[in-house]
Every structure is written in structure tokens, then in C-alpha cells.
Amino acid sequence: MNLGRVIGTIWATKKYEALEHQKMQLLQPLKFDLEKDGDPIIVVDTIGAGPGEVVFYITSSEAVIPMDVDMAPVDAAIVGIVDSINIENN
Amino acid sequence: MILGRVIGTVWSTRKDEKLVGAKFLIVRQLNLDYSPKNSFVVAVDSVGAGVGEVVLYAQGSSARQTTLTKNKPVDAVIMAIVDKLDISVKDKEKEVAAE
């Protein structure tokens, strides 16, 4: 999993049928110090994160697991909203 | 998934037989402000995207998770045509630079 921040939303009516009714969000990947880490990506959000919230997300074909479909062309999905992060020493 | 724009088509007659019938489009990656990036991919089209359209594509083994591409040698698939995107959390650095 990786950290990210939801920075916006995206709408697409014409899409692969398994993606119907799935919310997709714009996400800025973050390092552990919450600095930006590369380019923004689009993720499926089954958790309901709001804009600005720090989340953690999964990539690759596991991203379809949070969705209640057996097959969907999805390579990134939010799996949790972060309450707090504590780093002892890095 | 990654934001992109379809910029062309690839035709191929001599190819892996599992790819027969698949439509290949060339997609150029876009920034969220729709400015083009220097990253291109040949992706199988699963939603009927046309040249010029802004799309989303999935990469890696996720690209095989469609009825069209299941068990096929495919690692990129166009799975949505974008209507609209809205960036609600502005980029602080850009804002500072803009002031």
C-alpha cells in the first residue's frame, strides 16, 4: 500500500460495465512525510474519502478486490482513510 | 489508472493469435490540466474510444481483467472515456508561484 491525498474527482459515463456505480477520484501519491511523490493518478474509491483527505491505496490487480465484482480493469483503489501517522525514526 | 488522450491506432495482421480481434489505440499520457506528457502506450480498447478522446487506462495485470483481454498478452487497456474532472484541492506550490 502507499499513502496519497484525494485532490479531486473524475466522471466517466462511458466505461467498462463492471465500473458502473464506482466512484473514481484524483489522487496525489505522497511520501511518508506527506510530500508529493510523483504524478497524480486515478483510483477507485469504495471507502468514500473526501477531497483533501490522506488515504492509503493499493495498486496492481489487487485493486479490484475492494470492488464487489470479480473482474474489472482497475489498477489502483483506496482501501483506507488515515487518521494519524507516527514515525519513530527514519 | 492514468489520464490520457487517444492519438492514433495500430493495425497488425501478424501478431500473437490471442490478440486477433483486439483494437489497439495509441494513448498519450496527460497531466490533470490536460497538457500532454512524454509517455505513450499502446492499449487495447474496451469501451469504443475514438482518436482525440480523453480516456483512462489501466496497466499491468489489471489490464487482463476484462472479458476482452482475459488470458491475453495485454498490459494496458482503455476502460473509461472521461466526461469531466475537477481538482478541488489546489496545488499549494503552484498557488504560491502564481501570487
Side-chain angles (χ1 to χ4, degrees), chain A residues 9 11 13-14 42 74-75, chain B residues 1 59 62 81 83-84 86:
Chain A
T9 304
W11 292 272
T13 36
K14 210 162 161 229
I42 286 90
V74 165
D75 61 13
Chain B
M1 283 65 76
Q59 293 182 295
S62 309
I81 297 174
D83 299 331
K84 191 167 99 81
D86 166 47

Side-chain angles (χ1 to χ4, degrees), chain B residues 6-58:
Chain B
V6 178
I7 61 165
T9 308
V10 169
W11 289 280
S12 162
T13 41
R14 291 207 329 270
K15 57 195 170 195
D16 185 301
E17 73 277 359
K18 295 196 189 71
L19 293 179
V20 170
K23 188 173 156 213
F24 302 106
L25 295 177
I26 303 174
V27 185
R28 178 172 200 169
Q29 186 175 346
L30 298 178
N31 291 303
L32 293 189
D33 60 5
Y34 289 92
S35 58
K37 289 176 71 74
N38 250 336
S39 161
F40 302 81
V41 72
V42 177
V44 168
D45 175 26
S46 78
V47 282
V51 173
E53 287 194 296
V54 175
V55 295
L56 292 182
Y57 58 96

Side-chain angles (χ1 to χ4, degrees), chain A residues 3-82:
Chain A
L3 287 178
R5 185 189 308 278
V6 174
I7 58 171
T9 304
I10 188 163
W11 292 272
T13 36
K14 210 162 161 229
K15 53 197 169 188
Y16 188 72
E17 62 276 2
L19 289 161
E20 293 303 333
H21 322 304
Q22 293 293 347
K23 181 145 180 57
M24 290 197 282
Q25 307 252 42
L26 306 177
L27 180 133
Q28 169 59 59
L30 298 177
K31 299 189 186 114
F32 275 88
D33 54 8
L34 301 189
E35 286 303 310
K36 288 202 315 186
D37 183 14
D39 295 331
I41 60 171
I42 286 90
V43 294
V44 164
D45 178 13
T46 57
I47 308 291
E53 285 196 298
V54 176
V55 296
F56 56 105
Y57 65 98
I58 53 174
T59 55
S60 160
S61 48
E62 285 72 22
V64 73
I65 295 172
M67 298 163 62
D68 51 15
V69 294
D70 49 5
M71 239 181 19
V74 165
D75 61 13
I78 293 175
V79 287
I81 299 172
V82 173

